[in-house]
Amino acid sequence: MSKKNYLFTSESVSEGHPDKVSDRISDAIVDAFLAADPHSRVAVETLCTTNLVVLAGEVRGPASVTPALMEDIARHAIKDIGYEQDGFHWKNAEVQVHVHSQSADIAVGVDAAGEKDEGAGDQGIMFGYACNETPVLMPAPVYYAHEILKSLAEARHSGAQPLLGPDSKSQVTLEYRDGKPVRATSVVVSTQHDGALSQSDVLEIVRPHVLDVLPKGWMCPEETFYVNPTGRFVIGGPDGDCGLTGRKIIVDTYGGAAPHGGGAFSGKDPTKVDRSAAYASRYLAKNVVGAGLADRCVIQLSYAIGVSKPLSVYVDTYGTSKVDEDKLSIVLQQLMDLTPRGIRTHLGLNKPIYARTAAYGHFGRNPDADGGFSWEKLDLVDQLKRAFGA
């Protein structure tokens, strides 16, 4: 029996959080390779700390993406985020590039050859999830945590709040009754700021953004509205804490409301099933919920390195399904080829569309005209309804 009344908390971090700076740089390099050659193979990690950025990894792609270009890409990403601080500055930071060619052993196991289809780039398990708590079919706590930080970032970039810094975090706790979110019981926001601002100044800057994001009447009590609870947050970003690619996988996905296979997304081209299969499973789960076949849906896919077809396809609707789950699993596999090549083709993933995913979640976003966030489309809804006579 599932619990109906409870509190649940999710967090988000902004584009200026050290780990997200690293994700952004890694994904911008993926985009550069895919723009030059859609069949590039990329696995690039980024470390950033006080005025230092280190890139490492392995690639197979055009020689036009040189170490010098990768350095320029890193600097542009840092500038776009907004770092022009003494301890981390887009122009003054040292950028080291330690990126080499992809292992031939991996390539021979993954590449298509003769009658062998392209295999998965690694073994692993990937989960996708959707629920009807929000219009974008995402869990409400992580959705609102993202939206608060996006609102603050927009105000900073527009110049409306020039005294805010790029680094920020949020945490939203919601009360659920009968399995549905009804209000916030606490909200935490920590945001980097100019030294001239007091804690109370920052609180009043943040307050309207929270009120605008949360549904009317959902605001938490004043005594559980925490803004910069340590009192001061002037030194932030990579100058305050080291950042690494792939350390915010729960922020990137469902805020802990659903399982996670453990693989990170950023810095990986779409032949890596850590990324592409996670997108595919979200796509399928979202279309199941969007078609009204279930209120919640989680899908797990599993792969072996060098093997094209998934080893398993698991579907769970937490008892909310209006249709037979065994048939649902069969129908989903008929509607989408879940081999690595099939996923990339269906969702159009061999494009430079990844830098935009690096902050505020890979899911619950609007599909872009150029193919970005294609996994958020609801274009299987009609086919699913027909399959079940809905």
Side-chain angles (χ1 to χ4, degrees):
M1 182 70 70
S2 62
K3 192 173 182 180
K4 295 293 186 181
N5 301 317
Y6 54 92
L7 303 181
F8 194 84
T9 304
S10 294
E11 70 162 343
S12 179
V13 298
S14 73
E15 67 205 69
H17 184 282
D19 295 332
K20 284 288 145 199
V21 174
S22 294
D23 285 346
R24 171 68 175 275
I25 293 170
S26 293
D27 273 339
I29 289 171
V30 171
D31 283 353
F33 273 98
L34 292 178
D37 179 357
H39 302 291
S40 295
R41 301 290 172 82
V42 186
V44 171
E45 316 292 339
T46 303
L47 175 149
C48 56
T49 185
T50 303
N51 271 334
L52 175 65
V53 175
V54 180
L55 308 180
E58 53 280 341
V59 298
R60 189 176 72 192
S64 59
V65 186
T66 62
L69 178 57
M70 285 187 252
E71 177 180 340
D72 288 343
I73 289 167
R75 293 190 189 281
H76 177 78
I78 296 166
K79 183 179 182 181
D80 192 57
I81 291 167
Y83 276 111
E84 295 185 343
Q85 301 170 1
D86 289 342
F88 196 68
H89 196 295
W90 65 270
K91 185 184 292 185
N92 301 330
E94 178 186 358
V95 180
Q96 299 179 8
V97 180
H98 303 280
V99 176
H100 57 83
S101 297
Q102 183 191 54
S103 162
D105 290 343
I106 293 177
V108 74
V110 173
D111 290 348
E115 296 183 3
K116 174 185 173 292
D117 194 9
E118 177 185 297
D122 201 353
Q123 71 176 46
I125 56 176
M126 299 84 206
F127 288 92
Y129 179 73
C131 62
N132 59 8
E133 293 178 12
T134 60
V136 295
L137 305 184
M138 284 288 286
V142 73
Y143 172 75
Y144 293 121
H146 286 323
E147 290 299 306
I148 289 167
L149 295 188
K150 286 198 313 191
S151 181
L152 287 168
E154 288 165 5
R156 178 175 62 84
H157 283 298
S158 72
Q161 294 296 345
L163 298 183
L164 294 183
D167 192 0
S168 60
K169 302 177 74 170
S170 65
Q171 186 169 285
V172 175
T173 301
L174 298 184
E175 178 183 355
Y176 283 72
R177 294 180 193 161
D178 294 325
K180 300 292 183 183
V182 296
R183 70 181 182 100
T185 60
S186 68
V187 175
V188 184
V189 179
S190 296
T191 181
Q192 190 181 16
H193 60 89
D194 187 274
L197 294 178
S198 68
Q199 183 183 22
S200 60
D201 291 334
V202 178
L203 187 146
E204 294 310 321
I205 289 172
V206 169
R207 185 189 303 276
H209 294 274
V210 177
L211 288 170
D212 287 346
V213 163
L214 292 177
K216 187 176 181 180
W218 278 35
M219 184 61 178
C220 65
E222 188 66 20
E223 60 268 23
T224 54
F225 179 39
Y226 304 102
V227 175
N228 285 10
T230 61
R232 185 174 172 85
F233 187 5
V234 174
I235 297 174
D239 188 28
D241 193 12
C242 180
L244 291 170
T245 301
R247 283 206 301 198
K248 288 292 178 285
I249 58 177
I250 300 303
V251 170
D252 285 343
T253 54
Y254 308 103
H260 194 292
F265 304 156
S266 291
K268 299 175 182 177
D269 74 78
T271 66
K272 278 69 172 176
V273 284
D274 273 345
R275 179 164 226 158
S276 56
Y279 291 170
S281 54
R282 159 64 179 177
Y283 171 68
L284 294 177
K286 184 176 182 180
N287 276 270
V288 167
V289 176
L293 303 185
D295 296 333
R296 300 170 63 196
C297 181
V298 67
I299 293 175
Q300 184 205 58
L301 304 176
S302 68
Y303 293 85
I305 188 167
V307 179
S308 60
K309 292 186 180 296
L311 306 183
S312 64
V313 179
Y314 168 80
V315 180
D316 186 1
T317 62
Y318 303 90
T320 69
S321 179
K322 282 79 170 174
V323 299
D324 179 76
E325 284 188 357
D326 290 336
K327 181 180 177 181
L328 181 58
S329 177
I330 294 169
V331 169
L332 291 174
Q333 293 176 72
Q334 291 171 344
L335 293 178
M336 186 176 189
D337 177 357
L338 292 173
T339 65
R341 186 201 301 273
I343 291 171
R344 293 202 320 280
T345 300
H346 190 110
L347 296 178
L349 298 181
N350 285 94
K351 299 176 181 177
I353 55 174
Y354 297 106
R356 71 194 75 173
T357 69
Y360 313 116
H362 291 244
F363 309 125
R365 311 286 288 272
N366 293 322
D368 295 324
D370 66 353
F373 300 105
S374 59
W375 50 94
E376 291 297 304
K377 291 181 178 180
L378 288 169
D379 53 0
L380 295 183
V381 163
D382 289 342
Q383 295 175 72
L384 282 167
K385 286 181 176 179
R386 284 196 300 270
F388 289 95

